[in-house]
Amino acid sequence: MPELPEVETVCRGLEKLIIGKKISSIEIRYPKMIKTDLEEFQRELPSQIIESMGRRGKYLLFYLTDKVLISHLRMEGKYFYYPDQGPERKHAHVFFHFEDGGTLVYEDVRKFGTMELLVPDLLDAYFISKKLGPEPSEQDFDLQVFQAALAKSKKPIKSHLLDQTLVAGLGNIYVDEVLWRAQVHPARPSQTLTAEEATAIHDQTIAVLGQAVEKGGSTIRTYTNAFGEDGSMQDFHQVYDKTGQECVRCGTIIEKIQLGGRGTHFCPNCQRRD
DNA sequence: CAGCACACCTGGTTGC
DNA sequence: TGCAACCAGGTGTGCT
């Protein structure tokens, strides 16, 4: 599922379902996804209460009684909440059983997702170690800092936006949408961007991710009807998965290329290389 | 240090 | 139809 808007949607959904619940037991069927000490994870979680939910970039945060569970959904991670035991499912990897009989299940077909348990004091250091950039908001995402970083990089702008260091939260869908809106070719070396182009990318990043959060995220390729997949942002995509269709701005046919190993959609007329 | 290919997994789609 | 190759909303590693 997830780029930032989808993770935010899951976060808001879980807030309504599991806040205040006490974990009675934990069941881990795919131990490899627990990246901190497994014994500790199994020992510490039971008896903790879900105090609140949070999000930083694409990381989902469960604030527990005296720990923080950091969950990253990677490509296909999903959470399902059941007021009872829940059904048996092939790709269910972690079960959080609550004292009231409810169950939160983490499912992930590709098993790329990760979970880590930290003391809250180490959360800031954790994100610093990941070199995670600012949240895509007016308050946090500073244009001057962004422009200065771009000026020092030869990386294609799309690859740079995807690496989470300049700004947190963009993934392969929204980065294509942002660059289309900003009218910048995805392969442009970062340092060749003009101040106007950098400003447009900055502003459109905030606008696109903000709009996507409002729409509840995007639901693409109708995967299983996962919790939180009720988004409608896909109806507003202008280039992602629009290969062969006309650009709504100029009528030119949208093209798809490979860039940094990722499928990349753009309008060859609106988004010139130079 | 920067940049890039590749690894991690499974399943759906495409093309011969 | 059968099956191999390729592709998928992400990130960490290890190499040049």
Side-chain angles (χ1 to χ4, degrees), chain A residues 136 182 192 243:
Chain A
T192 68
T243 315

Side-chain angles (χ1 to χ4, degrees), chain A residues 25 52 71 106 198 220 254:
Chain A
S25 65
S52 62
S71 171
Y106 177 77
I220 242 58
I254 301 298

Side-chain angles (χ1 to χ4, degrees), chain A residues 60-97:
Chain A
L60 183 63
L61 307 173
F62 295 74
Y63 290 96
L64 309 175
T65 305
D66 49 33
K67 297 274 177 164
V68 184
L69 171 61
I70 305 171
S71 171
H72 199 299
L73 281 44
R74 295 291 179 94
M75 299 290 265
E76 300 190 28
K78 297 173 179 67
Y79 279 98
F80 293 86
Y81 175 76
Y82 302 98
D84 53 23
Q85 285 278 73
E88 201 48 51
R89 307 195 101 221
K90 189 176 178 186
H91 300 292
H93 305 314
V94 180
F95 297 73
F96 302 83
H97 297 291

Side-chain angles (χ1 to χ4, degrees), chain A residues 34-37 40-41 44-45 48 59-71 115-130:
Chain A
I34 312 300
K35 297 303 180 184
T36 49
D37 189 84
E40 186 189 320
F41 194 93
E44 295 283 337
L45 280 179
Q48 302 246 355
Y59 295 83
L60 183 63
L61 307 173
F62 295 74
Y63 290 96
L64 309 175
T65 305
D66 49 33
K67 297 274 177 164
V68 184
L69 171 61
I70 305 171
S71 171
M115 288 185 193
E116 292 161 280
L117 194 62
L118 250 62
V119 289
D121 289 353
L122 294 181
L123 197 56
D124 287 348
Y126 175 85
F127 289 123
I128 289 169
S129 76
K130 304 274 184 196

Side-chain angles (χ1 to χ4, degrees), chain A residues 9-28:
Chain A
T9 301
V10 171
C11 181
R12 292 179 184 183
L14 290 181
E15 257 172 1
K16 296 189 182 117
L17 293 169
I18 61 168
I19 296 302
K21 290 189 188 290
K22 186 172 183 178
I23 299 171
S24 55
S25 65
I26 183 113
E27 192 182 337
I28 302 166

Side-chain angles (χ1 to χ4, degrees), chain A residues 64-248:
Chain A
L64 309 175
T65 305
D66 49 33
K67 297 274 177 164
V68 184
L69 171 61
I70 305 171
S71 171
H72 199 299
L73 281 44
R74 295 291 179 94
M75 299 290 265
E76 300 190 28
K78 297 173 179 67
Y79 279 98
F80 293 86
Y81 175 76
Y82 302 98
D84 53 23
Q85 285 278 73
E88 201 48 51
R89 307 195 101 221
K90 189 176 178 186
H91 300 292
H93 305 314
V94 180
F95 297 73
F96 302 83
H97 297 291
F98 299 113
E99 221 168 38
D100 67 0
T103 309
L104 180 68
V105 182
Y106 177 77
E107 298 192 9
D108 189 341
V109 171
R110 294 176 74 180
K111 303 179 177 171
F112 283 173
T114 60
M115 288 185 193
E116 292 161 280
L117 194 62
L118 250 62
V119 289
D121 289 353
L122 294 181
L123 197 56
D124 287 348
Y126 175 85
F127 289 123
I128 289 169
S129 76
K130 304 274 184 196
K131 299 187 168 60
L132 189 66
E135 287 294 303
S137 65
E138 294 290 355
Q139 312 84 273
D140 298 331
F141 188 16
D142 186 87
L143 179 59
Q144 314 305 322
V145 174
F146 180 58
Q147 289 178 330
L150 291 178
K152 287 186 285 187
S153 168
K154 295 182 181 8
K155 263 192 190 177
I157 183 60
K158 171 167 175 174
S159 306
H160 209 162
L161 290 169
L162 280 179
D163 78 16
Q164 309 299 302
T165 62
L166 298 174
V167 59
L170 286 172
N172 203 42
I173 292 179
Y174 297 120
V175 74
D176 281 2
E177 297 299 323
V178 165
L179 291 173
W180 177 83
R181 291 203 197 185
Q183 304 193 52
V184 172
H185 192 291
R188 287 274 300 283
S190 298
Q191 61 185 188
T192 68
L193 297 173
T194 65
E196 290 70 27
E197 288 169 328
T199 302
I201 293 168
H202 169 272
D203 294 353
Q204 292 305 329
T205 294
I206 295 171
V208 168
L209 292 177
Q211 183 191 5
V213 167
E214 277 177 33
K215 302 293 178 190
S218 301
T219 303
I220 242 58
R221 259 176 288 288
T222 52
Y223 280 118
T224 48
N225 48 335
F227 177 89
E229 278 200 341
D230 49 352
S232 63
M233 186 60 191
Q234 64 280 1
D235 298 340
F236 299 86
H237 293 174
Q238 305 295 352
V239 282
Y240 185 82
D241 217 10
K242 303 288 184 188
T243 315
Q245 298 181 37
E246 289 182 5
C247 169
V248 299

